[in-house]
Amino acid sequence: MLWQEWPQQGLDAMGKLVADIIVETLQNAGVKHCYGIVGDTLNLIARSLEKSEIEWVSVRHEEAGAFAAQAEAQVADRLTAVAGSCGPGSLHFINGLFEANRNRAPVILIASQIIRDELGFDFIQEVDFKQVYSDCSVFCDMIHTPAQARRKTVIACQTALARRGVAVLIVPADISASVVDDSIPYAVHVARPVTRPNDADLAEIAEILNKSENVVLYGGSGCQGAHQEILAVADKLKAPIAHTSRAKDFLEFDNPYNIGMTGMLGNEAGYHALLDCDALLMLGADFAWRQFYPDKAKIVQVDIDPTHLGRRHPVTKGVVGDVKATMASLLPLLVERTDASFRSAYVKRYAKYRESERAKVAAGHDGSIPGSYLTKVISQHAAKDALFTADDGTPAAWAYRHIEMNGQRRIFASLLHGTMANGMPGGIGLQKAEPGRQVVCLAGDGGISMLFGDLMTVVAQELPIKIAVYDNGKLGFVEIEQKAEGMLDTFTKLKNPNFAGVARALGLWGETVSSADQLETAVKDWLAQPGPALLHVHVNPMQLVMPPFMQVEPAIGMALYSTRAILHGRGGDVWEMVKENFL
Ligand SMILES: Cc1ncc(C[n+]2csc(CCOP(=O)(O)OP(=O)(O)O)c2C)c(N)n1
Ligand SMILES: [Mg+2]
């Protein structure tokens, strides 16, 4: 029976509208916001959402809604919803849902679908969401009958929360409009067990570590909430602590043993410590770049996900556990050391690197503004508990190198999916989740323009987010990659508008800054705005992101690029590059 056919009296006795059942289940599972764009097949669910306590957030592009939802899910650690119309509407979420799933963010997509009678006949807007979304979800299924509605919505929510990822619930429009007996109390259960390796495994790990001379701890995003336990282990083993970029939020602050990151964004202390140690204790780290792992050291890996063990590099011993609980259980088994010379050497090396970086990160030649310097100034003036987002490209690289952490700040960048345009839309979700906190988005000129329309969402939702556009007039990161491969820059140029003017036209505060002597005042003004504000910064287009070491290939690549550029009459570009990066 469809809802329109119902007699108005005695509704409760006959059952419930499926759309209401779905929305009620989402609400009970803790959903506070649903991001999306309405459309025919979603209309009844929209009607139910409107009656519920869940707040609907209209976006201009569904992808932005998915970026926002996954940022909210991460910062608030709660299930967050997105919903779309059939076909293109629900298809548009895809890139943001890949981002969500890779970030282990519990997000549910209500993908409304054409009516069941038409499925399988290439009906207008028919898309097989099960096929499309199976690769970026932990749950992907359709509600096949009205009677399944509550049970399947429950299991979708529960899977997203328990397995930490995306659930896609496909809902044909005729199912939403059905009325069904709803007397069986299926409900979402979220278990948060404490997991640690068994005693024999712990003893084995302790033996490996106790027998090794120079131990390095290497922490990843699994270290969230385990600061104290990790430091206690490092203290006993006299081990320095290196970390992945995703663990910067959790391990950089109040950590006298910190030696920063390895990898392309890292520094030479983190990089060499990992290669020079005898034993590496990897904690909740699934760092993907194999060339940064040691070949001779014994590696112990602790991860909550068994599929991560040894998948990047062979390990001596892999165990499953929460970092916090595992470190607490391991601590009494470790032999206290007295010789801290290995650790001190790397801590000193890191301090030296930081000092020289600090000195280097300054206004450019001729008063230009390097992106690194802009980031440092933003870090100096942003709130103590600011939430940052950064677009893939140079803004993310500068954020991980130059935003100073303190245990309250967080950075959200697309480190695993590596997508452009995540920054500003992610800021929408962070500000919806944390209305009282300062949200600062570091955007590329390429990145911001990709989902530019959702600046209108920022205005419509009255979100006071602060957006800095790093305008280098190009797809800068790609251009650096091309140069490192010895190519001339190819298809990277961007013809940009005055972003501040566009922002003002859309209803944001907007200013442009081009010279370093005006930067600090401009950043302070921008951050002090009560409402949404966009600072358009002309950054130095020639700045390179330098790795912690110079590999042979990029060095040859840069030389080849320089030769080609000179041969093409572009010696000026080469001079600019050399001047801004090496002099
Ligand atoms: C959706 C998407 N398209 C393309 C890429 C490849 N890509 C990575 S960084 C980048 C350039 C980003 O340019 P911009 O936002 O201007 O930042 P910049 O590096 O110039 O600071 C591109 C094209 C990507 N990661 N994601
Ligand atoms: Mg750019």
Side-chain angles (χ1 to χ4, degrees):
M1 189 190 243
L2 295 182
W3 70 291
Q4 294 93 337
E5 297 160 16
W6 271 41
Q8 278 309 296
Q9 24 331 59
L11 292 187
D12 288 345
M14 294 177 67
K16 237 182 183 160
L17 188 66
V18 166
D20 287 343
I21 294 173
I22 294 170
V23 170
E24 192 184 296
T25 309
L26 295 181
Q27 192 176 302
N28 291 344
V31 172
K32 297 275 184 270
H33 297 113
C34 182
Y35 300 82
I37 297 179
V38 290
D40 48 6
T41 47
L42 189 66
N43 286 342
L44 262 192
I45 291 174
R47 177 177 165 274
S48 303
L49 279 165
E50 226 233 323
K51 290 186 294 174
S52 76
E53 284 167 24
I54 297 174
E55 187 190 341
W56 175 261
V57 184
S58 281
V59 290
R60 300 297 181 117
H61 190 306
E62 288 88 349
E63 182 178 338
F67 281 140
Q70 64 89 35
E72 170 170 342
Q74 283 186 78
V75 77
D77 193 17
R78 67 172 172 239
L79 185 65
T80 305
V82 291
S85 58
C86 62
S90 284
L91 202 56
H92 253 180
F93 291 105
I94 192 157
N95 192 43
L97 291 185
F98 264 96
E99 174 75 10
N101 206 48
R102 289 209 153 116
N103 288 342
R104 295 169 58 83
V107 169
I108 182 163
L109 164 63
I110 304 297
S112 69
Q113 180 60 291
I114 59 167
I115 58 171
R116 282 171 298 168
D117 267 355
E118 293 297 346
L119 277 174
F121 301 100
D122 199 16
F123 193 74
I124 289 168
Q125 297 194 314
E126 180 174 354
V127 170
D128 184 355
F129 290 125
K130 197 158 173 175
Q131 232 181 54
V132 168
Y133 281 113
S134 60
D135 231 18
C136 64
S137 59
V138 292
F139 176 98
C140 184
D141 202 3
M142 185 165 100
I143 304 182
H144 289 276
T145 65
Q148 288 189 340
R150 184 172 293 272
R151 191 146 69 113
K152 207 158 254 181
T153 313
V154 161
I155 204 65
C157 294
Q158 190 159 317
T159 310
L161 284 161
R163 296 197 37 216
R164 305 201 65 83
V166 170
V168 177
L169 187 64
I170 304 158
V171 189
D174 57 316
I175 297 249
S176 307
S178 301
V179 171
V180 67
D181 170 50
D182 180 47
S183 53
I184 307 175
Y186 293 106
V188 175
H189 297 275
V190 185
R192 303 232 178 215
V194 175
T195 312
R196 69 163 180 84
N198 63 42
D199 291 345
D201 282 344
L202 279 173
E204 206 180 314
I205 295 173
E207 195 181 337
I208 295 172
L209 297 175
N210 287 334
K211 279 193 179 152
S212 303
E213 215 167 297
N214 299 323
V215 183
V216 170
L217 267 52
Y218 184 47
S221 61
C223 292
Q224 184 167 14
H227 187 273
Q228 198 184 328
E229 290 75 8
I230 293 169
L231 259 78
V233 166
D235 199 27
K236 217 162 173 185
L237 291 173
K238 304 291 176 280
I241 304 176
H243 60 83
T244 65
S245 38
R246 274 160 59 86
K248 179 178 163 88
D249 300 13
F250 316 127
L251 289 178
E252 187 180 277
F253 72 99
D254 293 346
N255 182 354
Y257 315 137
N258 183 31
I259 53 167
M261 298 178 284
T262 180
M264 294 304 281
L265 297 181
N267 75 94
E268 48 118 19
Y271 170 69
H272 285 291
L274 251 79
L275 298 183
D276 293 349
C277 64
D278 307 308
L280 183 68
L281 177 56
M282 282 177 65
L283 303 171
D286 184 37
F287 187 60
W289 307 91
R290 289 183 288 144
Q291 63 270 41
F292 294 96
Y293 284 84
D295 279 330
K296 293 191 195 83
K298 294 207 154 86
I299 303 182
V300 173
Q301 184 176 6
V302 180
D303 205 291
I304 195 61
D305 185 339
T307 68
H308 289 182
L309 300 177
R311 76 168 173 172
R312 307 295 184 190
H313 193 277
V315 298
T316 316
K317 178 81 187 164
V319 290
V320 175
D322 300 328
V323 175
K324 187 182 170 80
T326 307
M327 289 304 97
S329 314
L330 182 66
L331 190 66
L333 309 180
L334 298 174
V335 177
E336 172 105 43
R337 299 178 186 212
T338 46
D339 181 2
S341 53
F342 176 74
R343 182 172 71 196
S344 320
Y346 281 97
V347 167
K348 271 194 204 127
R349 211 161 160 175
Y350 181 57
K352 207 166 140 203
Y353 155 79
R354 295 267 299 215
E355 214 173 286
S356 80
E357 272 297 293
R358 239 176 239 141
K360 252 193 272 164
V361 180
H365 292 85
D366 316 321
S368 68
I369 305 172
S372 52
Y373 179 55
L374 167 61
T375 314
K376 178 171 144 179
V377 173
I378 292 175
S379 179
Q380 278 163 354
H381 295 287
K384 284 269 164 307
D385 65 345
L387 298 169
F388 296 89
T389 66
D391 273 346
D392 195 53
T394 67
W398 303 139
Y400 282 98
R401 285 206 173 148
H402 304 295
I403 300 285
E404 301 261 354
M405 304 312 277
N406 54 20
Q408 298 176 59
R409 288 178 167 185
R410 299 281 313 270
I411 305 178
F412 298 86
S414 179
L415 290 162
L416 300 177
H417 189 44
T419 177
M420 287 169 73
N422 56 301
M424 178 271 290
I428 294 176
L430 295 178
Q431 195 78 82
K432 288 303 287 185
E434 299 265 359
R437 265 167 101 169
Q438 186 181 64
V439 173
V440 182
C441 308
L442 314 183
D445 46 348
I448 191 85
S449 27
M450 218 172 230
L451 289 171
F452 212 74
D454 274 279
L455 281 174
M456 291 183 257
T457 306
V458 175
V459 175
Q461 291 284 322
E462 299 178 12
L463 302 173
I465 65 179
K466 306 291 176 272
I467 302 152
V469 179
Y470 289 55
D471 182 357
N472 50 11
K474 58 175 74 162
L475 302 168
F477 204 80
V478 175
E479 192 171 299
I480 296 170
E481 288 165 354
Q482 292 176 346
K483 286 176 180 170
E485 285 171 35
M487 282 171 65
L488 286 179
D489 40 287
T490 308
F491 307 145
T492 52
K493 291 220 168 20
L494 299 174
K495 189 167 169 15
N496 286 328
N498 173 353
F499 286 107
V502 180
R504 284 196 295 271
L506 294 175
L508 294 94
W509 176 97
E511 284 296 331
T512 301
V513 58
S514 310
S515 74
D517 56 355
Q518 287 158 12
L519 183 66
E520 199 150 350
T521 313
V523 166
K524 281 200 222 161
D525 273 2
W526 162 66
L527 289 174
Q529 293 308 310
L534 184 149
L535 186 65
H536 171 209
V537 188
H538 287 289
V539 294
N540 194 314
M542 284 301 173
Q543 192 180 13
L544 300 171
V545 177
M546 306 283 237
F549 52 89
M550 203 55 185
Q551 274 176 316
V552 180
E553 294 87 350
I556 295 175
M558 286 294 170
L560 267 176
Y561 156 77
S562 305
T563 315
R564 289 205 174 114
I566 291 165
L567 286 175
H568 281 75
R570 288 171 47 187
D573 285 1
V574 175
W575 170 238
E576 277 296 313
M577 185 181 83
V578 170
K579 192 173 70 169
E580 287 306 331
N581 296 283
F582 303 100
L583 298 184

